[in-house]
Amino acid sequence: EVQLVETGGGIVQPGGSLRLSCAVSGLRVSDNYMTWVRQAPGKGLEWVSIIYDDGGTFSADSVEGRFTVSRDTSNNTVHLRLDRLRVDDTAVYFCARVYGGNHFDYWGRGTRVTVSS
Amino acid sequence: SYDLTQPVSVSVAPGQTARLTCEGNRIGYKNVHWYQQKPGQAPVLVIHRDTNRPSAIPERFAGSNSGNTATLTITAAQAGDEADYYCHVWDSRTAVFGGGTRLTVL
């Protein structure tokens, strides 16, 4: 059974940092594209970042230069480092597996990030 | 950037057919995926690559895609189908979601 479990969310002041983690079981992050998607309160889904099976990464313009996606293959975990946080980064952050470079077939339950002074 | 437009809300009577649309420029040339999200839960994939249904999804869910419109059709709608539905495509290396449609079954 595939499971994705996000941790690391919390309350942080504007300009602060957090590191989110997505612990994966049932598949190897080194063999898959893994992605982060966020959802602000009462809003829709917004794609954030992706890490490819070769370790390359790409992020949305809205977070480029502030958020960094990485992985730890020994622990089968994907991370999202959030720097220079802004109030509008407040959201639930989900990680997901990207199947075949196309759709997101497995999702975690999300971790909540609140940016507030 | 590529934009996807979904109606904010759709209502359907129980047992009737709901059609949820997703409009985008020449979307028929892209692979469209659909997700269902219930309050407080993670999204669930219901249709991938336009028409393909994961094994756990009922046959009542079907997808189509042509021209500038992709459609998720839910036949014999049930109360349990009430949720937000999002379409998704890739625009080069960027994933794009529609704004979502709130389906109400009443």
Side-chain angles (χ1 to χ4, degrees), chain A residues 55-70:
Chain A
T57 63
F58 188 71
S59 293
D61 288 346
S62 59
V63 306
E64 179 63 37
R66 300 188 302 120
F67 291 7
T68 305
V69 59
S70 63

Side-chain angles (χ1 to χ4, degrees), chain A residues 3-21:
Chain A
Q3 285 194 324
L4 289 72
V5 179
E6 302 95 334
T7 57
I11 302 173
V12 61
Q13 292 187 337
S17 297
L18 278 176
R19 190 178 83 153
L20 309 182
S21 298

Side-chain angles (χ1 to χ4, degrees), chain B residues 29-98:
Chain B
Y29 288 97
K30 295 182 177 292
N31 288 320
V32 179
H33 320 295
W34 292 88
Y35 305 89
Q36 175 195 70
Q37 187 182 32
K38 297 182 179 179
Q41 298 184 19
V44 172
L45 178 72
V46 294
I47 293 290
H48 60 92
R49 289 180 292 126
D50 297 343
T51 62
N52 296 275
R53 189 172 34 80
S55 57
I57 303 302
E59 292 182 7
R60 302 184 296 103
F61 289 77
S64 62
N65 184 19
S66 179
N68 292 319
T69 304
T71 303
L72 173 67
T73 301
I74 306 171
T75 57
Q78 302 174 356
D81 299 333
E82 280 207 342
D84 295 326
Y85 291 84
Y86 296 91
C87 56
H88 156 221
V89 301
W90 287 94
D91 178 35
S92 185
R93 292 191 293 168
T94 298
V96 180
F97 289 99

